[in-house]
Amino acid sequence: MINLSVLSVFVPTFFMVSLTPGMCMTLSMTLGMTIGVRRAMWMMLGELVGVGLVAVSAVVGVATLMLRYPEIFAAFKWLGGAYLIYLGVMMWRSKGRMAIPDASDATPSVMPLQLVVQGFVTAVANPKGWAFFIALLPPFLDAGRPMAPQLVLLVGIILTLELTCLLIYAGGGRTASRFLRRDGNVRLLNRVAGSLMMGVGVWLAIG
């Protein structure tokens, strides 16, 4: 279906790009800090759906439509960014469902659907993600072969690499959380996580 020589370039290229710190990776690390890796996987599910949608859309031409109507895309970005900033402020103040309670054994009671939507919006509203897929994905597709099987395989590889990197970042966030909790610095942990969340929101809105 796809030459091994193509895959030998495709896999490390997309892995390194996924591993590079960005909105989704920062969000994954933040949620790893506050709600743990297992629950953060709900956000990862939404993020992967969003990444898959952006990747396929970039190939079939939907990206062109998005660029023709930038006001719709801008509104989506600002709404998503404002929501993340609001969550970050609440976490910084140790309030809201995502903030860590004072009790060391308690975990925030955020709803799975909220996390899925959060991951999806962050992935789809990221302009750099669109530009990245438009620039890098089409060159790996062979116009002389059936397009659908190639796209399914390559997007499947992208999502696998993306999930791996999300788990790495969430695991790092969880490790930092345990280190801070050991000294009872729950408020500091909330402020670190809240600041990161606000940073992602600003990044998303003005990026």
Side-chain angles (χ1 to χ4, degrees):
M1 186 185 302
I2 296 179
N3 293 332
L4 290 178
S5 59
V6 173
L7 290 178
S8 67
V9 177
F10 180 84
V11 172
T13 297
F14 276 77
F15 178 71
M16 291 307 298
V17 172
S18 292
L19 194 59
T20 302
M23 293 182 197
C24 294
M25 295 304 152
T26 305
L27 180 60
S28 183
M29 182 174 65
T30 303
L31 293 181
M33 285 183 180
T34 57
I35 63 176
V37 177
R38 182 178 298 180
R39 299 187 69 197
M41 291 184 73
W42 286 107
M43 182 280 297
M44 297 178 198
L45 173 62
E47 196 269 350
L48 292 176
V49 172
V51 167
L53 177 63
V54 172
V56 173
S57 298
V59 172
V60 301
V62 176
T64 304
L65 183 63
M66 295 290 287
L67 294 175
R68 269 185 198 171
Y69 300 98
E71 62 277 2
I72 298 177
F73 191 58
F76 195 55
K77 279 175 41 182
W78 278 99
L79 287 174
Y83 177 64
L84 293 180
I85 292 171
Y86 166 75
L87 291 178
V89 170
M90 295 300 289
M91 292 166 67
W92 203 89
R93 298 174 60 195
S94 297
K95 295 182 179 181
R97 291 188 172 184
M98 286 193 182
I100 302 171
D102 289 333
S104 60
D105 58 344
T107 56
S109 58
V110 60
M111 299 295 292
L113 180 60
Q114 182 182 0
L115 294 171
V116 172
V117 172
Q118 192 174 355
F120 179 81
V121 169
T122 304
V124 174
N126 181 6
K128 292 182 180 179
W130 286 90
F132 164 70
F133 283 114
I134 291 171
L136 288 185
L137 185 54
F140 286 99
L141 296 168
D142 187 347
R145 298 184 179 185
M147 191 64 63
Q150 295 182 76
L151 192 56
V152 168
L153 176 60
L154 293 181
V155 172
I157 293 173
I158 289 171
L159 295 183
T160 301
L161 296 174
E162 186 79 0
L163 176 60
T164 300
C165 295
L166 287 169
L167 289 170
I168 290 173
Y169 274 82
R174 191 58 174 169
T175 300
S177 170
R178 288 172 179 167
F179 177 77
L180 290 173
R181 282 193 186 197
R182 189 177 306 163
D183 297 327
N185 293 323
V186 174
R187 182 176 293 275
L188 175 61
L189 180 57
N190 275 326
R191 291 188 172 183
V192 170
S195 297
L196 289 171
M197 184 73 78
M198 286 186 280
V200 174
V202 173
W203 193 356
L204 181 62
I206 68 175

